Amino acid sequence: MKVNLAIMVVIVSVVVVAFGYSIFFRERSEGRASVILARCTDTQDKKLIECMSKEMLASVMQDPQDTGELFDDIWNLLQTGRLGADPRYFSPLAHDAGMAMVQLDIPIEKILSYCGESFIKGVCTGL
């Protein structure tokens, strides 16, 4: 009985670790913006931008140092046509990301280094 329980615990642990790793790997290999886009695709035009902006802002608040990579991912989606939207719709998001980092008490020098190239003007000039 104890052996069966131990085997079950090991199996469940392996499944949980494998699932967590697959999510982490998928986000890193596809880019977070692609994963967010996939989660938000059920919505329509402007709602899609709102959904993506909300998800991306949450990601910025969780991992501010990855902001540039996240914005580069969204820029890539826009440039390749996988996301058919006007890039200007994401300008408020860029400003909100900068303000969120300020609220997290991140020094301005770090925020500027986290901006990335794609939306640097929106993030950095919005501070």
Side-chain angles (χ1 to χ4, degrees):
M1 186 78 161
K2 288 183 181 182
V3 174
N4 287 342
L5 181 61
I7 291 172
M8 184 64 102
V9 168
V10 169
I11 290 171
V12 168
S13 297
V14 168
V15 168
V16 168
V17 168
F19 182 72
Y21 179 77
S22 71
I23 289 173
F24 175 80
F25 181 73
R26 189 177 105 204
E27 283 191 12
R28 295 295 180 203
S29 65
E30 290 182 14
R32 272 194 202 149
S34 294
V35 173
I36 290 170
L37 176 61
R39 282 197 299 251
C40 292
T41 53
D42 294 338
T43 57
Q44 297 172 327
D45 296 335
K46 192 164 186 173
K47 294 287 185 187
L48 174 67
I49 303 303
E50 290 174 19
C51 176
M52 289 191 69
S53 294
K54 180 181 171 187
E55 294 266 346
M56 291 175 72
L57 189 56
S59 183
V60 166
M61 295 196 68
Q62 183 179 0
D63 296 313
Q65 68 277 5
D66 293 338
T67 300
E69 182 181 328
L70 181 63
F71 283 134
D72 289 346
D73 288 345
I74 196 72
W75 186 255
N76 186 38
L77 290 175
L78 290 163
Q79 294 302 304
T80 60
R82 287 186 58 205
L83 175 59
D86 187 330
R88 292 174 290 186
Y89 289 147
F90 291 96
S91 292
L93 170 64
H95 173 75
D96 292 346
M99 294 308 295
M101 287 187 274
V102 167
Q103 289 176 355
L104 292 172
D105 292 326
I106 297 173
I108 191 71
E109 299 81 25
K110 288 244 188 222
I111 293 172
L112 294 173
S113 72
Y114 294 163
C115 288
E117 293 298 317
S118 300
F119 286 86
I120 193 166
K121 300 274 192 257
V123 174
C124 296
T125 59
L127 297 176

